[in-house]
mmCIF file of all heavy atoms in Angstrom:
data_model
loop_
_atom_site.group_PDB
_atom_site.id
_atom_site.type_symbol
_atom_site.label_atom_id
_atom_site.label_comp_id
_atom_site.label_asym_id
_atom_site.label_seq_id
_atom_site.Cartn_x
_atom_site.Cartn_y
_atom_site.Cartn_z
ATOM 1 N N ALA O 1 62.287 43.447 1.575
ATOM 2 C CA ALA O 1 63.142 42.393 1.030
ATOM 3 C C ALA O 1 64.469 42.335 1.770
ATOM 4 O O ALA O 1 65.005 41.254 2.036
ATOM 5 C CB ALA O 1 63.366 42.624 -0.460
ATOM 6 N N LEU O 2 65.010 43.491 2.117
ATOM 7 C CA LEU O 2 66.233 43.516 2.926
ATOM 8 C C LEU O 2 65.997 42.838 4.269
ATOM 9 O O LEU O 2 66.841 42.072 4.757
ATOM 10 C CB LEU O 2 66.699 44.954 3.133
ATOM 11 C CG LEU O 2 67.351 45.666 1.944
ATOM 12 C CD1 LEU O 2 67.528 47.145 2.250
ATOM 13 C CD2 LEU O 2 68.701 45.030 1.612
ATOM 14 N N GLY O 3 64.845 43.109 4.869
ATOM 15 C CA GLY O 3 64.509 42.457 6.137
ATOM 16 C C GLY O 3 64.362 40.962 5.991
ATOM 17 O O GLY O 3 64.724 40.197 6.892
ATOM 18 N N GLU O 4 63.844 40.525 4.853
ATOM 19 C CA GLU O 4 63.691 39.090 4.625
ATOM 20 C C GLU O 4 65.042 38.392 4.545
ATOM 21 O O GLU O 4 65.234 37.315 5.121
ATOM 22 C CB GLU O 4 62.893 38.839 3.345
ATOM 23 C CG GLU O 4 62.796 37.373 3.014
ATOM 24 C CD GLU O 4 61.697 37.037 2.037
ATOM 25 O OE1 GLU O 4 60.879 37.915 1.722
ATOM 26 O OE2 GLU O 4 61.639 35.873 1.601
ATOM 27 N N VAL O 5 65.989 39.000 3.831
ATOM 28 C CA VAL O 5 67.323 38.403 3.761
ATOM 29 C C VAL O 5 67.985 38.428 5.131
ATOM 30 O O VAL O 5 68.696 37.496 5.521
ATOM 31 C CB VAL O 5 68.190 39.121 2.718
ATOM 32 C CG1 VAL O 5 69.581 38.487 2.650
ATOM 33 C CG2 VAL O 5 67.531 39.060 1.336
ATOM 34 N N GLN O 6 67.740 39.483 5.897
ATOM 35 C CA GLN O 6 68.283 39.546 7.261
ATOM 36 C C GLN O 6 67.765 38.394 8.109
ATOM 37 O O GLN O 6 68.478 37.866 8.971
ATOM 38 C CB GLN O 6 67.922 40.876 7.912
ATOM 39 C CG GLN O 6 68.533 41.084 9.295
ATOM 40 C CD GLN O 6 70.052 41.096 9.260
ATOM 41 O OE1 GLN O 6 70.649 41.758 8.420
ATOM 42 N NE2 GLN O 6 70.683 40.375 10.176
ATOM 43 N N GLU O 7 66.531 37.958 7.845
ATOM 44 C CA GLU O 7 65.977 36.818 8.583
ATOM 45 C C GLU O 7 66.796 35.547 8.336
ATOM 46 O O GLU O 7 67.000 34.743 9.252
ATOM 47 C CB GLU O 7 64.517 36.596 8.163
ATOM 48 C CG GLU O 7 63.817 35.461 8.892
ATOM 49 C CD GLU O 7 63.452 35.792 10.327
ATOM 50 O OE1 GLU O 7 63.507 36.987 10.695
ATOM 51 O OE2 GLU O 7 63.119 34.863 11.078
ATOM 52 N N ILE O 8 67.281 35.376 7.108
ATOM 53 C CA ILE O 8 68.153 34.222 6.823
ATOM 54 C C ILE O 8 69.444 34.342 7.630
ATOM 55 O O ILE O 8 69.920 33.373 8.218
ATOM 56 C CB ILE O 8 68.503 34.131 5.331
ATOM 57 C CG1 ILE O 8 67.269 34.211 4.467
ATOM 58 C CG2 ILE O 8 69.266 32.839 5.046
ATOM 59 C CD1 ILE O 8 67.580 34.309 2.981
ATOM 60 N N ILE O 9 70.020 35.532 7.636
ATOM 61 C CA ILE O 9 71.269 35.768 8.366
ATOM 62 C C ILE O 9 71.069 35.477 9.846
ATOM 63 O O ILE O 9 71.901 34.812 10.491
ATOM 64 C CB ILE O 9 71.743 37.213 8.142
ATOM 65 C CG1 ILE O 9 72.062 37.444 6.658
ATOM 66 C CG2 ILE O 9 72.957 37.542 9.011
ATOM 67 C CD1 ILE O 9 72.206 38.896 6.268
ATOM 68 N N ASP O 10 69.961 35.949 10.403
ATOM 69 C CA ASP O 10 69.670 35.703 11.821
ATOM 70 C C ASP O 10 69.477 34.210 12.092
ATOM 71 O O ASP O 10 69.918 33.687 13.130
ATOM 72 C CB ASP O 10 68.408 36.465 12.239
ATOM 73 C CG ASP O 10 68.596 37.970 12.214
ATOM 74 O OD1 ASP O 10 69.754 38.427 12.134
ATOM 75 O OD2 ASP O 10 67.584 38.690 12.253
ATOM 76 N N THR O 11 68.809 33.518 11.163
ATOM 77 C CA THR O 11 68.588 32.085 11.333
ATOM 78 C C THR O 11 69.906 31.325 11.305
ATOM 79 O O THR O 11 70.150 30.429 12.130
ATOM 80 C CB THR O 11 67.645 31.561 10.224
ATOM 81 O OG1 THR O 11 66.384 32.225 10.348
ATOM 82 C CG2 THR O 11 67.431 30.065 10.345
ATOM 83 N N CYS O 12 70.786 31.688 10.373
ATOM 84 C CA CYS O 12 72.110 31.061 10.321
ATOM 85 C C CYS O 12 72.899 31.350 11.591
ATOM 86 O O CYS O 12 73.592 30.473 12.129
ATOM 87 C CB CYS O 12 72.881 31.553 9.094
ATOM 88 S SG CYS O 12 72.271 30.939 7.516
ATOM 89 N N ASP O 13 72.782 32.573 12.082
ATOM 90 C CA ASP O 13 73.501 32.955 13.298
ATOM 91 C C ASP O 13 73.042 32.113 14.480
ATOM 92 O O ASP O 13 73.856 31.602 15.264
ATOM 93 C CB ASP O 13 73.271 34.444 13.578
ATOM 94 C CG ASP O 13 74.048 34.936 14.779
ATOM 95 O OD1 ASP O 13 75.276 34.770 14.809
ATOM 96 O OD2 ASP O 13 73.423 35.502 15.696
ATOM 97 N N PHE O 14 71.731 31.926 14.597
ATOM 98 C CA PHE O 14 71.195 31.138 15.714
ATOM 99 C C PHE O 14 71.676 29.696 15.637
ATOM 100 O O PHE O 14 72.147 29.122 16.627
ATOM 101 C CB PHE O 14 69.673 31.193 15.700
ATOM 102 C CG PHE O 14 69.034 30.414 16.819
ATOM 103 C CD1 PHE O 14 68.790 30.998 18.051
ATOM 104 C CD2 PHE O 14 68.686 29.081 16.645
ATOM 105 C CE1 PHE O 14 68.224 30.271 19.090
ATOM 106 C CE2 PHE O 14 68.112 28.351 17.667
ATOM 107 C CZ PHE O 14 67.882 28.950 18.889
ATOM 108 N N PHE O 15 71.571 29.086 14.450
ATOM 109 C CA PHE O 15 71.885 27.666 14.351
ATOM 110 C C PHE O 15 73.382 27.394 14.248
ATOM 111 O O PHE O 15 73.805 26.255 14.473
ATOM 112 C CB PHE O 15 71.111 27.031 13.194
ATOM 113 C CG PHE O 15 69.661 26.834 13.535
ATOM 114 C CD1 PHE O 15 68.701 27.695 13.042
ATOM 115 C CD2 PHE O 15 69.278 25.822 14.387
ATOM 116 C CE1 PHE O 15 67.372 27.535 13.386
ATOM 117 C CE2 PHE O 15 67.955 25.651 14.744
ATOM 118 C CZ PHE O 15 66.991 26.514 14.235
ATOM 119 N N THR O 16 74.168 28.412 13.950
ATOM 120 C CA THR O 16 75.616 28.249 14.080
ATOM 121 C C THR O 16 75.975 27.908 15.519
ATOM 122 O O THR O 16 76.767 26.992 15.794
ATOM 123 C CB THR O 16 76.341 29.533 13.649
ATOM 124 O OG1 THR O 16 76.145 29.729 12.241
ATOM 125 C CG2 THR O 16 77.831 29.434 13.916
ATOM 126 N N SER O 17 75.371 28.614 16.448
ATOM 127 C CA SER O 17 75.617 28.326 17.866
ATOM 128 C C SER O 17 74.983 27.012 18.287
ATOM 129 O O SER O 17 75.533 26.276 19.112
ATOM 130 C CB SER O 17 75.066 29.473 18.729
ATOM 131 O OG SER O 17 75.707 30.693 18.421
ATOM 132 N N GLU O 18 73.836 26.699 17.697
ATOM 133 C CA GLU O 18 73.135 25.472 18.085
ATOM 134 C C GLU O 18 73.930 24.228 17.707
ATOM 135 O O GLU O 18 73.710 23.151 18.258
ATOM 136 C CB GLU O 18 71.745 25.441 17.440
ATOM 137 C CG GLU O 18 70.741 24.585 18.173
ATOM 138 C CD GLU O 18 70.510 25.040 19.599
ATOM 139 O OE1 GLU O 18 70.557 26.255 19.868
ATOM 140 O OE2 GLU O 18 70.283 24.160 20.452
ATOM 141 N N GLY O 19 74.878 24.385 16.781
ATOM 142 C CA GLY O 19 75.717 23.257 16.402
ATOM 143 C C GLY O 19 76.574 22.725 17.533
ATOM 144 O O GLY O 19 77.046 21.582 17.486
ATOM 145 N N ARG O 20 76.797 23.520 18.549
ATOM 146 C CA ARG O 20 77.524 23.051 19.735
ATOM 147 C C ARG O 20 76.583 22.795 20.910
ATOM 148 O O ARG O 20 77.042 22.598 22.035
ATOM 149 C CB ARG O 20 78.594 24.061 20.126
ATOM 150 C CG ARG O 20 79.695 24.170 19.081
ATOM 151 C CD ARG O 20 80.843 25.055 19.524
ATOM 152 N NE ARG O 20 81.867 25.117 18.493
ATOM 153 C CZ ARG O 20 82.864 24.239 18.351
ATOM 154 N NH1 ARG O 20 82.963 23.224 19.189
ATOM 155 N NH2 ARG O 20 83.736 24.380 17.384
ATOM 156 N N ARG O 21 75.274 22.816 20.624
ATOM 157 C CA ARG O 21 74.294 22.600 21.690
ATOM 158 C C ARG O 21 73.208 21.634 21.265
ATOM 159 O O ARG O 21 72.087 21.723 21.738
ATOM 160 C CB ARG O 21 73.638 23.929 22.088
ATOM 161 C CG ARG O 21 74.490 24.868 22.863
ATOM 162 C CD ARG O 21 73.625 25.948 23.512
ATOM 163 N NE ARG O 21 72.852 26.675 22.512
ATOM 164 C CZ ARG O 21 73.251 27.799 21.942
ATOM 165 N NH1 ARG O 21 74.413 28.342 22.256
ATOM 166 N NH2 ARG O 21 72.497 28.406 21.038
ATOM 167 N N LEU O 22 73.483 20.724 20.362
ATOM 168 C CA LEU O 22 72.453 19.782 19.937
ATOM 169 C C LEU O 22 72.328 18.706 21.022
ATOM 170 O O LEU O 22 72.675 17.543 20.842
ATOM 171 C CB LEU O 22 72.819 19.171 18.582
ATOM 172 C CG LEU O 22 71.659 18.625 17.753
ATOM 173 C CD1 LEU O 22 70.654 19.729 17.435
ATOM 174 C CD2 LEU O 22 72.169 18.005 16.469
ATOM 175 N N TYR O 23 71.795 19.158 22.149
ATOM 176 C CA TYR O 23 71.879 18.385 23.380
ATOM 177 C C TYR O 23 71.013 17.134 23.371
ATOM 178 O O TYR O 23 69.866 17.144 22.939
ATOM 179 C CB TYR O 23 71.444 19.231 24.575
ATOM 180 C CG TYR O 23 72.308 20.420 24.874
ATOM 181 C CD1 TYR O 23 71.737 21.623 25.296
ATOM 182 C CD2 TYR O 23 73.691 20.363 24.747
ATOM 183 C CE1 TYR O 23 72.519 22.719 25.597
ATOM 184 C CE2 TYR O 23 74.485 21.461 25.037
ATOM 185 C CZ TYR O 23 73.897 22.643 25.454
ATOM 186 O OH TYR O 23 74.666 23.731 25.737
ATOM 187 N N GLY O 24 71.578 16.052 23.912
ATOM 188 C CA GLY O 24 70.804 14.937 24.427
ATOM 189 C C GLY O 24 70.812 15.062 25.944
ATOM 190 O O GLY O 24 71.178 16.090 26.502
ATOM 191 N N GLN O 25 70.433 13.985 26.632
ATOM 192 C CA GLN O 25 70.396 14.012 28.098
ATOM 193 C C GLN O 25 70.871 12.679 28.655
ATOM 194 O O GLN O 25 70.746 11.643 27.999
ATOM 195 C CB GLN O 25 68.963 14.276 28.599
ATOM 196 C CG GLN O 25 68.424 15.641 28.244
ATOM 197 C CD GLN O 25 66.980 15.787 28.682
ATOM 198 O OE1 GLN O 25 66.151 14.918 28.436
ATOM 199 N NE2 GLN O 25 66.674 16.891 29.338
ATOM 200 N N THR O 26 71.422 12.735 29.861
ATOM 201 C CA THR O 26 71.631 11.509 30.634
ATOM 202 C C THR O 26 70.496 11.409 31.641
ATOM 203 O O THR O 26 70.030 12.414 32.168
ATOM 204 C CB THR O 26 72.979 11.527 31.374
ATOM 205 O OG1 THR O 26 73.026 12.669 32.242
ATOM 206 C CG2 THR O 26 74.134 11.599 30.391
ATOM 207 N N VAL O 27 70.033 10.182 31.867
ATOM 208 C CA VAL O 27 68.888 9.948 32.729
ATOM 209 C C VAL O 27 69.278 8.888 33.753
ATOM 210 O O VAL O 27 69.862 7.865 33.383
ATOM 211 C CB VAL O 27 67.672 9.459 31.908
ATOM 212 C CG1 VAL O 27 66.455 9.281 32.799
ATOM 213 C CG2 VAL O 27 67.375 10.422 30.774
ATOM 214 N N PRO O 28 68.987 9.096 35.036
ATOM 215 C CA PRO O 28 69.366 8.083 36.033
ATOM 216 C C PRO O 28 68.552 6.806 35.868
ATOM 217 O O PRO O 28 67.358 6.839 35.583
ATOM 218 C CB PRO O 28 69.054 8.770 37.369
ATOM 219 C CG PRO O 28 68.024 9.799 37.041
ATOM 220 C CD PRO O 28 68.356 10.280 35.659
ATOM 221 N N SER O 29 69.226 5.682 36.059
ATOM 222 C CA SER O 29 68.550 4.384 35.985
ATOM 223 C C SER O 29 68.044 3.980 37.363
ATOM 224 O O SER O 29 68.582 4.392 38.391
ATOM 225 C CB SER O 29 69.517 3.324 35.452
ATOM 226 O OG SER O 29 68.926 2.041 35.504
ATOM 227 N N GLU O 30 67.036 3.126 37.383
ATOM 228 C CA GLU O 30 66.530 2.596 38.645
ATOM 229 C C GLU O 30 67.348 1.396 39.112
ATOM 230 O O GLU O 30 67.064 0.813 40.157
ATOM 231 C CB GLU O 30 65.064 2.183 38.475
ATOM 232 C CG GLU O 30 64.853 1.035 37.499
ATOM 233 C CD GLU O 30 63.387 0.773 37.198
ATOM 234 O OE1 GLU O 30 62.638 1.759 36.976
ATOM 235 O OE2 GLU O 30 62.999 -0.406 37.175
ATOM 236 N N MET O 31 68.381 1.023 38.349
ATOM 237 C CA MET O 31 69.207 -0.139 38.675
ATOM 238 C C MET O 31 70.668 0.268 38.812
ATOM 239 O O MET O 31 71.116 1.227 38.178
ATOM 240 C CB MET O 31 69.064 -1.205 37.582
ATOM 241 C CG MET O 31 67.659 -1.730 37.442
ATOM 242 S SD MET O 31 67.503 -2.902 36.100
ATOM 243 C CE MET O 31 65.793 -3.381 36.303
ATOM 244 N N PRO O 32 71.428 -0.469 39.625
ATOM 245 C CA PRO O 32 72.845 -0.146 39.768
ATOM 246 C C PRO O 32 73.644 -0.540 38.525
ATOM 247 O O PRO O 32 73.226 -1.393 37.738
ATOM 248 C CB PRO O 32 73.273 -0.974 40.982
ATOM 249 C CG PRO O 32 72.340 -2.148 40.961
ATOM 250 C CD PRO O 32 71.031 -1.604 40.476
ATOM 251 N N ASP O 33 74.792 0.087 38.353
ATOM 252 C CA ASP O 33 75.705 -0.251 37.262
ATOM 253 C C ASP O 33 75.005 -0.202 35.900
ATOM 254 O O ASP O 33 75.157 -1.081 35.051
ATOM 255 C CB ASP O 33 76.315 -1.635 37.476
ATOM 256 C CG ASP O 33 77.161 -1.695 38.737
ATOM 257 O OD1 ASP O 33 77.738 -0.654 39.103
ATOM 258 O OD2 ASP O 33 77.205 -2.762 39.359
ATOM 259 N N LYS O 34 74.237 0.854 35.710
ATOM 260 C CA LYS O 34 73.521 1.023 34.456
ATOM 261 C C LYS O 34 73.344 2.519 34.187
ATOM 262 O O LYS O 34 73.011 3.280 35.102
ATOM 263 C CB LYS O 34 72.152 0.330 34.527
ATOM 264 C CG LYS O 34 71.370 0.311 33.209
ATOM 265 C CD LYS O 34 70.053 -0.428 33.399
ATOM 266 C CE LYS O 34 69.273 -0.502 32.093
ATOM 267 N NZ LYS O 34 67.973 -1.187 32.280
ATOM 268 N N GLN O 35 73.588 2.955 32.943
ATOM 269 C CA GLN O 35 73.435 4.358 32.572
ATOM 270 C C GLN O 35 72.445 4.481 31.412
ATOM 271 O O GLN O 35 72.379 3.623 30.526
ATOM 272 C CB GLN O 35 74.786 4.954 32.142
ATOM 273 C CG GLN O 35 75.829 5.009 33.250
ATOM 274 C CD GLN O 35 75.464 6.005 34.332
ATOM 275 O OE1 GLN O 35 74.866 7.048 34.052
ATOM 276 N NE2 GLN O 35 75.817 5.691 35.574
ATOM 277 N N LEU O 36 71.684 5.558 31.430
ATOM 278 C CA LEU O 36 70.689 5.825 30.391
ATOM 279 C C LEU O 36 71.029 7.121 29.673
ATOM 280 O O LEU O 36 71.412 8.113 30.305
ATOM 281 C CB LEU O 36 69.289 5.923 30.995
ATOM 282 C CG LEU O 36 68.837 4.765 31.896
ATOM 283 C CD1 LEU O 36 67.424 5.033 32.405
ATOM 284 C CD2 LEU O 36 68.886 3.440 31.146
ATOM 285 N N PHE O 37 70.860 7.139 28.359
ATOM 286 C CA PHE O 37 71.218 8.296 27.541
ATOM 287 C C PHE O 37 70.122 8.559 26.504
ATOM 288 O O PHE O 37 69.391 7.650 26.113
ATOM 289 C CB PHE O 37 72.536 8.056 26.777
ATOM 290 C CG PHE O 37 73.685 7.612 27.630
ATOM 291 C CD1 PHE O 37 73.864 6.264 27.929
ATOM 292 C CD2 PHE O 37 74.602 8.532 28.123
ATOM 293 C CE1 PHE O 37 74.929 5.843 28.708
ATOM 294 C CE2 PHE O 37 75.667 8.122 28.903
ATOM 295 C CZ PHE O 37 75.838 6.777 29.203
ATOM 296 N N THR O 38 70.049 9.785 26.052
ATOM 297 C CA THR O 38 69.202 10.118 24.900
ATOM 298 C C THR O 38 70.022 10.934 23.906
ATOM 299 O O THR O 38 70.895 11.724 24.292
ATOM 300 C CB THR O 38 67.955 10.917 25.297
ATOM 301 O OG1 THR O 38 68.335 12.190 25.816
ATOM 302 C CG2 THR O 38 67.130 10.160 26.321
ATOM 303 N N PHE O 39 69.731 10.755 22.626
ATOM 304 C CA PHE O 39 70.451 11.437 21.557
ATOM 305 C C PHE O 39 69.452 11.952 20.522
ATOM 306 O O PHE O 39 68.410 11.337 20.282
ATOM 307 C CB PHE O 39 71.426 10.474 20.844
ATOM 308 C CG PHE O 39 72.426 9.821 21.740
ATOM 309 C CD1 PHE O 39 72.125 8.626 22.388
ATOM 310 C CD2 PHE O 39 73.680 10.392 21.953
ATOM 311 C CE1 PHE O 39 73.045 8.008 23.217
ATOM 312 C CE2 PHE O 39 74.598 9.785 22.785
ATOM 313 C CZ PHE O 39 74.294 8.589 23.421
ATOM 314 N N ARG O 40 69.809 13.055 19.881
ATOM 315 C CA ARG O 40 69.078 13.512 18.705
ATOM 316 C C ARG O 40 69.770 12.948 17.461
ATOM 317 O O ARG O 40 70.979 13.105 17.313
ATOM 318 C CB ARG O 40 69.064 15.038 18.614
ATOM 319 C CG ARG O 40 68.127 15.726 19.594
ATOM 320 C CD ARG O 40 68.035 17.207 19.252
ATOM 321 N NE ARG O 40 67.193 17.960 20.152
ATOM 322 C CZ ARG O 40 65.877 18.128 19.999
ATOM 323 N NH1 ARG O 40 65.257 17.552 18.974
ATOM 324 N NH2 ARG O 40 65.177 18.857 20.854
ATOM 325 N N VAL O 41 69.018 12.300 16.602
ATOM 326 C CA VAL O 41 69.577 11.780 15.356
ATOM 327 C C VAL O 41 68.795 12.381 14.192
ATOM 328 O O VAL O 41 67.598 12.680 14.318
ATOM 329 C CB VAL O 41 69.523 10.244 15.304
ATOM 330 C CG1 VAL O 41 70.375 9.639 16.392
ATOM 331 C CG2 VAL O 41 68.089 9.740 15.421
ATOM 332 N N PRO O 42 69.440 12.607 13.056
ATOM 333 C CA PRO O 42 68.739 13.215 11.918
ATOM 334 C C PRO O 42 67.613 12.328 11.406
ATOM 335 O O PRO O 42 67.666 11.098 11.503
ATOM 336 C CB PRO O 42 69.834 13.394 10.869
ATOM 337 C CG PRO O 42 70.930 12.457 11.277
ATOM 338 C CD PRO O 42 70.857 12.351 12.760
ATOM 339 N N VAL O 43 66.599 12.967 10.872
ATOM 340 C CA VAL O 43 65.463 12.236 10.303
ATOM 341 C C VAL O 43 65.883 11.482 9.051
ATOM 342 O O VAL O 43 65.513 10.331 8.851
ATOM 343 C CB VAL O 43 64.320 13.225 9.982
ATOM 344 C CG1 VAL O 43 63.207 12.535 9.217
ATOM 345 C CG2 VAL O 43 63.768 13.836 11.259
ATOM 346 N N GLY O 44 66.636 12.141 8.173
ATOM 347 C CA GLY O 44 67.062 11.522 6.920
ATOM 348 C C GLY O 44 66.946 12.490 5.771
ATOM 349 O O GLY O 44 67.707 13.447 5.665
ATOM 350 N N VAL O 45 65.957 12.282 4.912
ATOM 351 C CA VAL O 45 65.710 13.161 3.765
ATOM 352 C C VAL O 45 64.446 13.965 4.037
ATOM 353 O O VAL O 45 63.384 13.389 4.316
ATOM 354 C CB VAL O 45 65.566 12.363 2.460
ATOM 355 C CG1 VAL O 45 65.136 13.275 1.310
ATOM 356 C CG2 VAL O 45 66.878 11.672 2.109
#
């Protein structure tokens, strides 16, 4: 049971850092004067 609670602590520790790494990406366009982006958005409920 102690190990199980530690798993929650470890999970919180991992995603605390992930809060500054919820990365999207920039993608090069095949056309001039145009930029492409991707974002992660929440699902909802």
Side-chain angles (χ1 to χ4, degrees):
L2 286 170
E4 176 162 351
V5 180
Q6 184 62 47
E7 182 74 13
I8 310 172
I9 297 166
D10 293 346
T11 298
C12 289
D13 183 55
F14 180 88
F15 285 103
T16 293
S17 299
E18 204 60 34
R20 294 186 180 274
R21 287 196 303 267
L22 203 60
Y23 296 142
Q25 294 176 312
T26 58
V27 183
S29 174
E30 65 188 44
M31 298 177 176
D33 297 330
K34 186 179 182 182
Q35 295 292 326
L36 308 180
F37 308 86
T38 65
F39 303 88
R40 285 189 182 272
V41 297
V43 172
V45 173

